[in-house]
Amino acid sequence: MQTKYYQLLKEKFPTKESVLTEIINLKAILELPKGTEHFMSDLHGEFTTFNHVMRNGSGSIKAKLQECFADAPDKDLDELAVLIYYPTDKLNLEKRRRDKESLEKWYVQQLEDMLTMTRFSSKKYSRSKVRRALPPQYQYILEELLYDGNQDFDKNEYYQSILDNLLMLNQMSSLLRELAITIQNLVVDHLHIVGDIYDRGPEPDKIIERLMWAPSVDIQWGNHDILWMAALAGSKVSIAGLIRISARYGYLSILEDHYGINLRPFVEYAEHYYTPIAAFAPKLKENHLEISEKEKDRMNVVQQAAMILQSKLEGQLYERRPEFEMDDRILLKHIDPDNWSVQLNGESYSLKNFHAPTIDFSAPLCLTQEEHQLLNQLRQSFQTNEKFKRHIHFLLNKGSLYLIYNNNLLLHGGISMNEDGTFSTFHTGGRTYQGRQFLDFCEQQVYKSFKRKDTDDFATDFLWYLWCGPKSPLFGKNAMKTFERYYLEDKRTHVEVKDPYYLMRDQEEICLKVLHEMGIYSDNSHIISGHIPVKEKDGENPVKANRRLIVIDGGYSKAYQATTGIAGYTLLFNSYGLQLVAHQPFESIENAVMNKTDILSTKRLVESVDERLRVKDTTIGEQLQIEVDDLEFLFEYFEQF
């Protein structure tokens, strides 16, 4: 096999000279400065804010502009920043407000400034990488303008001809738009999404569509992502759960309008059996002003119906999966229908707002024939929806449960632990899993679940465990108390006890234990996670355990901002170190373009390095070094292959 590998490598580099050239090229790349990584988490459907932070690189573009034009204090950097962030909107605005002569002059000035910014932003990349970043239709023109510019006196007329023809052919606007996108992609080299694209907010589908255009991105699945992924895998309980949550937060339109899922049969079923009650009023925010009372009532009864279906299906799942150790969550079996009470942990609690017209209490977990048919129709709707399939397959292709990248562990939640700091164990199939082995097992089940879409197999059931199981690395609590919050007045029953990991993760020794379990021993390694919003307004620090843990869930979702006091964290990791960025709420694209406003963000230095990081110090660098070693071996023994 090794001989065959080198023979194939020789086909790619057929001469010793070509091998030597590639070795020199790769070794030179290893000495370049490390590219900027951009970390985002817990986006929860808030596309507008996410999109702006993507476009401004968490403030990186503005910082680059200030550095690039440090010798031009009169330069309007705010205007140039807006053009880079929102080129289409800005260009349309200038077309409306300027005459032809003024517009053309403005075009030329912006092109000159953007070319300067592109040169500055591309300094730490190889010429070939910059070439790949350029828009194909303008690659030749931009290379000419970028690498020689108009500084060569002998070529002044040549460059002027390029500009004149761009204007004459009405291509300047298009060129500026493409150049703005190029700058965005050059300033941020790689994007990490540390979980939870879905739920709570209005436009998760737009976030995924935007991520599909990102040149370099990876995703670590969050518990809310898993719920939606499970719907495509065929999990009926997950379908009931995501419908309930969508109704709870006023976003059934995501399913109906954005994805085109037919909920009409479900709505008719819900309206037939249930009537609106206050406990199921949807949690609406200021952007829901257009929702009518009739629509609120619809979301109300859909929640009720989905909750009862979810409770039935949960109970069935826990009965067939005793290894999940969730028998205590088969709550419908603990209800006394004579006095409307439920037994929890040996105590009896009165039920409130509990309406279950489709439950037969002699067999409370059984679905009616109507419910069987309804759920089968819904499952087919999810599994045959092309847009939904495309989005979930993107999460599968770009995603993983965790990622080790540049000596950092990226994991949405955490690793379940016992109170003594040892890793919890999970038993199934005669085997015991814990620590990294359990994380790998969890990821394997995600991929297995998509191989069979029409049965309640273990892997598909396990996706629900990842959503709410007590040892799930994506959940992190002893139980999800949705039933209690809806139906029990005693708030003591609502408490969800955090996994000991979350109580101990402020300790450096615990974080080091996790990092070492994952095979990470660098002095500059970190755990980067989201999942639990950081309450900055209460003084909580997102940087914990002597900088070993960085929690970047700061409240992108409006549902969490009252708790966090900010509108999200992001993290930047460039060749000089780590910076945490705290964001305030973003107003609107219109305001940004018209008034040249930016999102208000505050950067905090988390960690700096003594010596600037190079590509050779990164995960990509390790891969490149392997290529160099292989090429050097081929060069030495070239004639033998």
Side-chain angles (χ1 to χ4, degrees), residues 484-620:
E484 289 88 338
R485 288 194 296 272
Y486 275 135
Y487 300 126
L488 301 184
E489 196 165 11
D490 191 334
K491 293 190 182 300
R492 292 176 300 171
T493 66
H494 302 182
V495 176
E496 299 172 346
V497 180
K498 291 181 181 178
D499 188 275
Y501 166 80
Y502 293 94
L503 305 177
M504 298 185 291
R505 65 179 185 170
D506 286 5
Q507 303 172 31
E508 185 176 11
E509 62 180 288
I510 292 296
C511 290
L512 287 173
K513 182 181 180 72
V514 170
L515 290 166
H516 294 168
E517 170 69 12
M518 305 305 290
I520 306 171
Y521 292 91
S522 168
D523 291 337
N524 296 313
S525 59
H526 314 84
I527 302 170
I528 300 171
S529 63
H531 188 49
I532 296 182
V534 174
K535 299 177 181 178
E536 174 155 305
K537 70 182 183 64
D538 296 336
E540 183 180 359
N541 191 343
V543 183
K544 305 173 184 295
N546 193 25
R547 299 187 304 223
R548 289 294 185 173
L549 173 66
I550 306 169
V551 183
I552 57 172
D553 182 1
Y556 266 99
S557 171
K558 291 181 173 64
Y560 295 130
Q561 288 175 10
T563 299
T564 62
I566 59 171
Y569 288 118
T570 53
L571 187 70
L572 296 168
F573 182 21
N574 58 27
S575 58
Y576 295 105
L578 282 159
Q579 281 186 316
L580 186 74
V581 188
H583 304 283
Q584 293 303 313
F586 178 63
E587 290 188 26
S588 67
I589 296 173
E590 293 75 16
N591 189 45
V593 174
M594 291 294 296
N595 302 315
K596 299 185 286 190
T597 59
D598 202 344
I599 191 170
L600 183 61
S601 304
T602 306
K603 290 185 178 181
R604 312 175 196 173
L605 181 66
V606 175
E607 190 171 273
S608 59
V609 293
D610 296 330
E611 187 175 339
R612 193 177 188 188
L613 295 172
R614 305 284 170 180
V615 172
K616 64 184 178 183
D617 304 312
T618 69
T619 298
I620 296 296

Side-chain angles (χ1 to χ4, degrees), residues 326-340:
M326 297 177 73
D327 293 355
D328 60 325
R329 301 304 300 164
I330 309 177
L331 298 177
L332 295 185
K333 280 197 165 185
H334 298 292
I335 290 176
D336 182 348
D338 294 328
N339 60 14
W340 288 124

Side-chain angles (χ1 to χ4, degrees), residues 12 83 88 115 117 185 228 247 282 296 299 305 348 366 405 458 471 495 498 505 527 544 620:
K12 187 176 180 181
L83 178 59
T88 300
L115 288 169
M117 176 62 171
N185 293 337
W228 286 67
K296 292 176 186 176
M299 294 175 182
S348 179
C366 290
Y405 197 92
F458 177 88
K471 296 176 184 177
V495 176
K498 291 181 181 178
R505 65 179 185 170
I527 302 170
K544 305 173 184 295
I620 296 296

Side-chain angles (χ1 to χ4, degrees), residues 54-72:
M54 279 279 287
R55 288 170 181 266
N56 78 356
S58 284
S60 295
I61 287 177
K62 184 65 73 68
K64 260 318 185 211
L65 285 169
Q66 291 168 347
E67 191 177 353
C68 177
F69 294 100
D71 296 332

Side-chain angles (χ1 to χ4, degrees), residues 375-419:
L375 288 164
N376 285 336
Q377 288 175 343
L378 280 169
R379 180 165 65 180
Q380 184 179 21
S381 294
F382 278 95
Q383 292 186 324
T384 58
N385 184 282
E386 291 302 320
K387 180 178 178 180
F388 188 66
K389 286 196 295 184
R390 181 161 49 86
H391 286 184
I392 299 305
H393 286 153
F394 175 77
L395 292 182
L396 284 168
N397 293 334
K398 291 292 185 178
S400 58
L401 195 78
Y402 69 90
L403 179 68
I404 298 170
Y405 197 92
N406 292 342
N407 289 316
N408 294 315
L409 170 63
L410 282 61
L411 174 65
H412 178 69
I415 300 183
S416 179
M417 286 184 160
N418 301 309
E419 292 182 358

